Amino acid sequence: MGVNELSLIGVAIAVGLGAALLPVFVNAEVYVVAMGATVNSRPFLALLILIHVVATTIGKAFVFQLARRGTNKIRMIEPHPPRNAVSAWFRRIGQRLSRTRFFRWIKRINDWLLSLLDRPYSGGLTAFMSSLIGIPPLAIVTILAGASKQPQWVFLTTVFTGRLIQFLAIAFLLHKVSWF
């Protein structure tokens, strides 16, 4: 293994941890797409994806423990009034979209999945769906799961499995990576 491969492994670990801790600034899915465009070896790309998923899961375990030790109550915050005409326009558009049938269906599924987090083992379904398709967002699910009764091993197992399937599917569809 050369310096290039070791540096790609280090970047996979750094981006995985960064995506778990700062999901607004570091996107794990975009990294998988970019990684596939720069790596020529398909087996090495699959290995990088596996390392990236492990790093992401370790970062989510850290956030889970912070939420578990930090608070047991999540409070709702009232939205502030819009500061300017542009933000008021975006808010009106969002309110119109939220009244459509599709978004009401997504909201019902989202609310149902989040209600499962109160149950110790069926909350794993929420973590799996969140890590696989992103509904509800995994950053929110991680914090709520840490504050709930969900066992950490269930959460981490489902997050690892969902992220691995998602990233391998991205790599397979865009870069023809497979285990065979």
Side-chain angles (χ1 to χ4, degrees):
M1 219 184 267
V3 175
N4 289 339
E5 287 84 9
L6 289 176
S7 64
L8 286 174
I9 289 172
V11 169
I13 292 170
V15 171
L17 291 172
L21 300 175
L22 302 166
V24 173
F25 302 109
V26 182
N27 192 316
E29 291 85 358
V30 171
Y31 173 72
V32 170
V33 171
M35 183 174 35
T38 59
V39 175
N40 293 331
S41 171
R42 290 179 180 162
F44 186 63
L45 179 59
L47 175 67
L48 285 176
I49 289 172
L50 183 64
I51 291 169
H52 182 62
V53 169
V54 169
T56 303
T57 306
I58 290 170
K60 291 296 179 187
F62 180 72
V63 174
F64 183 94
Q65 281 302 316
L66 285 177
R68 171 86 20 116
R69 295 170 194 256
T71 182
N72 288 328
K73 295 182 181 179
I74 305 294
R75 61 185 171 132
M76 298 300 291
I77 299 172
E78 291 293 323
H80 295 292
R83 293 183 181 174
N84 54 34
V86 174
S87 60
W89 181 79
F90 275 115
R91 187 172 291 179
R92 282 194 307 273
I93 294 295
Q95 289 170 348
R96 285 185 191 141
L97 283 175
S98 68
R99 288 189 291 260
T100 63
R101 182 182 293 173
F102 176 72
F103 282 98
R104 285 191 313 234
W105 178 73
I106 292 290
K107 182 169 178 8
R108 274 198 316 267
I109 290 174
N110 191 23
D111 292 344
W112 175 71
L113 286 170
L114 287 174
S115 72
L116 290 178
L117 284 175
D118 289 337
R119 302 178 185 146
Y121 293 102
S122 59
L125 175 65
T126 303
F128 179 73
M129 293 302 290
S130 178
S131 63
L132 184 64
I133 61 173
I135 296 175
L138 187 57
I140 294 170
V141 168
T142 304
I143 294 168
L144 293 176
S148 71
K149 300 172 188 168
Q150 189 175 45
Q152 186 174 9
W153 71 270
V154 170
F155 175 77
L156 294 178
T157 302
T158 56
V159 166
F160 177 82
T161 306
R163 292 303 253 186
L164 185 64
I165 292 170
Q166 180 192 36
F167 293 159
L168 286 176
I170 290 170
F172 177 75
L173 292 173
L174 295 180
H175 308 293
K176 309 293 188 272
V177 173
S178 68
W179 292 104
F180 313 113

